[in-house]
Amino acid sequence: MTERKRTPWVVGVSGASGTPYAASVIRGLLAAGEPVDLVVSRASRLTLLDETGIAFRDAHWRDDLAEWLARGADGKPGTFAAGDLSDVRYWGAGDLAAGPSSGSYPVKGMLIVPASTACVAGVALGLSKDLLQRVASVTLKERRRLVVAVRETPLNGQTLKHLVALDEAGAIVLPASPAFYAGATHIQDLVDFVAGRVLDAAGVPHGLYRRWEGELGSARPRA
């Protein structure tokens, strides 16, 4: 029997605030049995350190990722059980010779979570100044699915033009905007809603949030 070829989703984490969104997306992909190739930008390491206290290190990425994924959106360690990271591959942001930098490297697509306005601009302009931007450019040219979870407010005209350019190039622009109809009672619920919408856009099944079923007030606790 021929062994199934590994075809991962690339998760790119840029420097915008919102590292809990990325953690929730990665947990969702792994729970669905999807392999993950991870790219963490240099700027996002500062955000991750600020939001979680975790210093993400190339030489210890597996331990640092495990600690990150175990934290809840409120920063509490040990909120989630340590998962199996055997199907996660990490590529350094400065490694422009990494597998996903080439269109011949098999991937299903790329999810940029969160996406900063600098990242959006770089991808829209095709700058490829680091591996994250390069993989996004490859994803577009190969006509693979690219989901860009932009996390910024307010948005200026230049960023809006860049987002339109990404949409026209075939990307899915997904603002990190939580909804409240799903009956959120904790910050984790709001984070998981956005992560769930990212996975929806990727076509990956999950159970991260309560879906709308057409009944007003259905998410509110009943007396």
Side-chain angles (χ1 to χ4, degrees):
M1 178 180 289
T2 303
E3 185 178 351
R4 182 175 65 89
K5 194 169 188 178
R6 182 180 184 274
T7 309
W9 285 97
V10 179
V11 176
V13 187
S14 81
S17 176
T19 55
Y21 292 132
S24 183
V25 165
I26 295 169
R27 286 193 298 264
L29 288 170
L30 295 177
E34 298 283 351
V36 172
D37 275 23
L38 179 64
V39 181
V40 179
S41 77
R42 289 189 174 92
S44 69
R45 295 175 189 232
L46 297 176
T47 309
L48 183 62
L49 181 63
D50 185 55
E51 293 183 346
T52 69
I54 297 171
F56 197 89
R57 304 158 295 174
D58 285 347
H60 304 279
W61 70 266
R62 195 175 296 275
D63 291 337
D64 297 336
L65 178 61
E67 183 181 358
W68 179 17
L69 297 185
R71 284 183 187 255
D74 58 2
K76 183 179 178 181
T79 300
F80 297 95
D84 181 8
L85 302 183
S86 61
D87 215 358
V88 178
R89 186 175 293 173
Y90 170 73
W91 303 96
D95 184 6
L96 293 178
S101 68
S102 171
S104 66
Y105 183 86
V107 303
K108 292 181 178 176
M110 183 180 192
L111 315 175
I112 305 179
V113 189
S116 66
T117 55
C119 173
V120 166
V123 176
L125 297 173
L127 297 183
S128 295
K129 73 178 184 66
D130 62 8
L131 181 61
L132 194 156
Q133 291 184 13
R134 171 59 185 168
V135 177
S137 294
V138 169
T139 302
L140 289 175
K141 81 179 181 69
E142 296 294 329
R143 301 298 190 264
R144 295 166 180 159
R145 192 165 302 190
L146 174 63
V147 182
V148 180
V150 60
R151 215 306 307 162
E152 185 60 271
T153 191
L155 297 172
N156 63 30
Q158 200 60 48
T159 298
L160 291 170
K161 290 176 184 176
H162 291 150
L163 291 172
V164 170
L166 288 178
D167 176 78
E168 291 175 344
I172 298 173
V173 176
L174 194 151
S177 302
F180 295 85
Y181 63 77
T185 59
H186 188 275
I187 186 175
Q188 188 68 52
D189 299 325
L190 299 176
V191 167
D192 286 346
F193 178 88
V194 171
R197 294 299 287 150
V198 171
L199 295 177
D200 286 345
V204 175
H206 66 87
L208 287 176
Y209 70 89
R210 185 199 305 250
R211 297 184 181 277
W212 175 251
E213 296 180 348
E215 182 183 350
L216 292 175
S218 61
R220 290 198 299 269
R222 302 191 183 277

